[in-house]
Amino acid sequence: MVKLRLKRCGRKQRIVAIDVRSRREGRDLRKVGFYDPIKNQTYLNVPAILYFLEKGAQPTGTVQDILKKASVFKELCPNQTKFN
C-alpha cells in the first residue's frame, strides 16, 4: 500500500509517495510536493498527486489537511463529498 506522507528535509518538508512499510526517511517512490511550515507555503505537483490518489494511495492526516487547503480533492471527485 502506498501513502502520501511528509518527509523531513531541513526546515522544509517534502510530500512524498512512499510504501507503507518504509520508515519515515526511507526511499520514496516519487516526490510530489513541498511544505514549509515556517513560511506557510506549499508547492504541489497536482497531476502526480491525483495519479497516486486514483491508484489507491492514502494520505496521512497532515497531508490530507494540506491537500484540502489546496482543494486537490475537488479535482479528484467533483461530484462526491467524501473528503470534504
Side-chain angles (χ1 to χ4, degrees):
M1 177 192 229
V2 176
K3 281 206 172 215
L4 296 175
R5 68 163 76 152
L6 292 174
K7 183 176 180 181
R8 295 186 67 191
C9 178
R11 291 197 297 181
K12 295 181 182 177
Q13 296 185 1
R14 291 184 182 159
I15 300 172
V16 296
I18 195 165
D19 187 25
V20 158
R21 296 168 293 193
S22 296
R23 54 194 171 99
R24 183 186 67 196
E25 302 302 324
R27 185 173 176 183
D28 50 359
L29 299 173
R30 185 167 180 189
K31 296 174 185 79
V32 294
F34 286 98
Y35 172 63
D36 188 354
I38 295 171
K39 296 181 182 176
N40 200 17
Q41 294 178 339
T42 58
Y43 166 75
L44 301 172
N45 185 351
V46 177
I49 292 171
L50 291 176
Y51 170 78
F52 281 108
L53 289 174
E54 288 171 355
K55 296 294 181 182
Q58 297 294 316
T60 60
T62 307
V63 172
Q64 186 170 355
D65 292 340
I66 293 169
L67 297 179
K68 277 184 187 177
K69 287 180 185 176
S71 66
V72 171
F73 293 120
K74 291 180 182 176
E75 296 178 29
L76 179 65
C77 48
N79 297 331
Q80 298 176 354
T81 58
K82 179 180 176 185
F83 293 105
N84 293 334

